[in-house]
Amino acid sequence: MRSVLSRRVFAAVLCAALLLVAFLDTGFAQTRRRHHHSRRRGAVVGGLVGAAGGGLVGGRKGAAIGAGAGAGTGYLVQRHRNRRHHRRNR
């Protein structure tokens, strides 16, 4: 009998806590933060992927060409993402 009563009390306290949390102020949900994609990171990741792909296809010379092309592409992709996000969220 005591365990049934303790379960009911626990369930009532849990329901009250969930209702309290549900009706709290949600003003913090609307805050904006600056969104930024690092162009340097994009260039590094692009360079590594390009070097790996170029190395598989064309050896050492292909790795050098792929690293340069991948770094440039990674930089441009991240710059595009930053500008697109800035235009959408003015």
Side-chain angles (χ1 to χ4, degrees):
M1 190 67 139
R2 186 174 178 173
S3 64
V4 173
L5 181 64
S6 65
R7 279 191 230 155
R8 286 185 181 175
V9 169
F10 178 73
V13 169
L14 184 63
C15 288
L18 289 175
L19 284 174
L20 179 67
V21 170
F23 290 112
L24 287 177
D25 185 27
T26 58
F28 294 115
Q30 299 301 319
T31 59
R32 287 189 179 193
R33 64 181 183 90
R34 186 170 176 263
H35 188 80
H36 175 73
H37 299 282
S38 172
R39 292 182 300 237
R40 183 180 301 145
R41 184 187 303 171
V44 169
V45 170
L48 291 174
V49 171
L56 290 174
V57 172
R60 189 174 284 177
K61 187 175 180 181
I65 294 170
T73 303
Y75 173 82
L76 291 174
V77 166
Q78 295 296 49
R79 187 179 75 169
H80 172 70
R81 291 177 72 187
N82 285 337
R83 288 182 177 182
R84 183 182 62 186
H85 184 78
H86 179 70
R87 281 192 305 263
R88 286 184 181 173
N89 299 314
R90 284 185 182 183

